[in-house]
Amino acid sequence: MKKLLQSLFVLMFVAITAMAQDRTITGTVTSQSDGLPLPGVSVRVKGAPGGIVTSGNGKYTVTVSSKATGIEFSFLVTPLKQ
């Protein structure tokens, strides 16, 4: 019985530790029209302060907590002058 209780305690500790860890998400933002990478896109974790901007080749890496609900992407397009 004592061994079973110890095993359950260790299992519970490992499960709680695994759930509380942050995750790293990486990706590339591309244009829907031509599939080319988009530099300068803002990437922000919902409910977290700050954010990052995609690199020149559209790549990003962001660390999110286990409580994160989503990621927001924003990009401003200015019309070309004719």
Side-chain angles (χ1 to χ4, degrees):
M1 182 69 161
K2 184 176 178 182
K3 191 133 180 128
L4 176 64
L5 241 72
Q6 286 176 340
S7 297
L8 287 175
F9 179 74
V10 169
L11 180 63
M12 187 173 69
F13 178 74
V14 169
I16 290 172
T17 304
M19 290 173 31
Q21 291 182 355
D22 291 345
R23 293 181 174 94
T24 300
I25 298 175
T26 60
T28 304
V29 179
T30 58
S31 169
Q32 186 176 6
S33 60
D34 56 12
L36 293 174
L38 292 173
V41 175
S42 296
V43 182
R44 186 178 153 296
V45 179
K46 287 185 181 179
I52 58 146
V53 177
T54 58
S55 65
N57 57 1
K59 295 186 183 286
Y60 68 93
T61 301
V62 63
T63 303
V64 297
S65 72
S66 59
K67 296 178 183 180
T69 59
I71 300 175
E72 296 176 335
F73 298 89
S74 60
F75 186 66
L76 295 176
V77 180
T78 56
L80 297 174
K81 293 183 180 180
Q82 295 181 348

